[in-house]
């Protein structure tokens, strides 16, 4: 028959084993829940520009962007706020607009955004259009996660020089703070 000392030692080992097992179980549960939440966030809707934007210059300047939902969840209540303004950041915006979509945008579905700017607001002389910033702010809801997300895209257009249309490129990181200050200045 085991002595009291042996039973105490056995009880202590069992208690420590149970505590260690409980801690390992809690850590495993935490990692599982965190991984599950991360995966759910990774499935959220997210918009990417599909293809190269099209620029048409006639009486107005039209920028045509196609966005695709590359997330797994649909997007609802998509609202786009668009701003076009001179890269000098010295004049009022040439374009400020908000557009809201009624329909849901499921996974891998494309939606189009056209931004029209009055050519006279950005073209002081024939054959020349000053370089412009284009800011697109998207706000939408994930109906699965019931969360609202925002995305902002900062784009530069070098304009029209000697009648030649220049390409659209992404704005540089160092320009973001100047753009945000400009938008605050004009209460947008």
């Amino acid at each position: 028959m085991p002595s009291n000392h042996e039973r105490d030692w056995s009880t202590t080992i069992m208690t420590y084993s149970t505590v260690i097992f409980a801690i390992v179980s809690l850590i495993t549960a935490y990692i599982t829940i965190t991984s599950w939440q991360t995966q759910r966030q990774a499935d959220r809707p997210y918009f990417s520009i599909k293809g190269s934007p099209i620029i048409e210059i006639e009486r107005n300047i039209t920028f045509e962007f196609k966005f695709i939902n590359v997330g797994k969840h649909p997007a609802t209540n998509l609202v786009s706020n668009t701003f076009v303004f001179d890269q000098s950041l010295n004049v009022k915006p040439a374009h400020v607009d908000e557009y809201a979509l009624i329909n849901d945008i499921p996974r891998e579905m494309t939606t189009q955004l056209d931004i029209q700017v009055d050519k006279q607001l950005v073209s002081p002389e024939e054959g020349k259009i000053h370089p412009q910033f284009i800011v697109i702010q998207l706000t939408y809801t994930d109906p699965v996660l019931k969360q609202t997300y925002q995305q902002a895209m900062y784009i530069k257009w070098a304009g029209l020089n000697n009648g030649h249309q220049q390409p659209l490129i992404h704005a540089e990181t160092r320009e973001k703070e100047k753009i945000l200050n400009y938008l605050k200045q004009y209460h947008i």
Side-chain angles (χ1 to χ4, degrees), residues 90-101:
N90 292 328
V91 294
K92 286 185 175 184
H95 169 88
V96 175
D97 194 23
E98 179 176 286
Y99 182 73
L101 288 178

Side-chain angles (χ1 to χ4, degrees), residues 3-20:
S3 69
N4 282 341
H5 180 67
E6 288 175 348
R7 267 187 273 156
D8 288 344
W9 182 249
S10 176
T11 304
T12 303
I13 290 174
M14 290 288 286
T15 303
Y16 281 130
S17 296
T18 304
V19 168
I20 290 171

Side-chain angles (χ1 to χ4, degrees), residues 5-183:
H5 180 67
E6 288 175 348
R7 267 187 273 156
D8 288 344
W9 182 249
S10 176
T11 304
T12 303
I13 290 174
M14 290 288 286
T15 303
Y16 281 130
S17 296
T18 304
V19 168
I20 290 171
F21 178 73
I23 291 171
V24 168
S25 295
L26 286 173
I27 291 171
T28 302
Y30 174 77
I31 290 170
T32 301
I33 290 170
T34 303
S35 296
W36 176 72
Q37 288 174 334
T38 301
Q39 183 58 46
R40 281 187 56 163
Q41 285 296 320
D43 291 344
R44 67 167 262 214
Y46 188 82
F47 287 94
S48 181
I49 296 175
K50 182 178 182 177
S52 295
I54 298 170
I55 305 168
E56 292 181 3
I57 302 173
E58 293 176 8
R59 220 170 61 130
N60 289 324
I61 303 167
T62 303
F63 301 97
E64 180 184 295
F65 292 89
K66 290 187 178 169
F67 292 99
I68 185 167
N69 179 0
V70 295
K72 290 184 180 176
H73 296 169
T76 60
N77 305 318
L78 176 65
V79 176
S80 65
N81 289 290
T82 55
F83 313 99
V84 179
F85 47 93
D86 195 285
Q87 283 186 34
S88 70
L89 306 174
N90 292 328
V91 294
K92 286 185 175 184
H95 169 88
V96 175
D97 194 23
E98 179 176 286
Y99 182 73
L101 288 178
I102 296 172
N103 298 328
D104 293 355
I105 298 139
R107 175 184 179 183
E108 296 182 13
M109 175 140 184
T110 303
T111 186
Q112 183 172 313
L113 172 65
D114 290 340
I115 301 171
Q116 290 199 3
V117 180
D118 183 346
K119 187 176 166 186
Q120 294 178 347
L121 294 175
V122 295
S123 179
E125 54 193 79
E126 192 62 36
K128 183 166 178 68
I129 297 176
H130 290 226
Q132 303 290 311
F133 280 119
I134 302 168
V135 176
I136 302 169
Q137 294 176 336
L138 301 175
T139 304
Y140 49 88
T141 303
D142 179 338
V144 177
L145 299 176
K146 297 186 180 7
Q147 288 184 309
T148 299
Y149 296 97
Q150 292 185 332
Q151 274 182 254
M153 297 174 193
Y154 303 92
I155 300 164
K156 291 192 311 187
W157 179 48
L160 192 66
N161 195 355
N162 293 324
H164 298 295
Q165 185 174 297
Q166 304 301 307
L168 285 167
I169 59 173
H170 292 283
E172 298 173 31
T173 304
R174 64 182 173 83
E175 295 169 315
K176 183 178 179 182
E177 192 64 36
K178 292 176 187 175
I179 292 169
L180 293 175
N181 287 336
Y182 174 86
L183 294 173

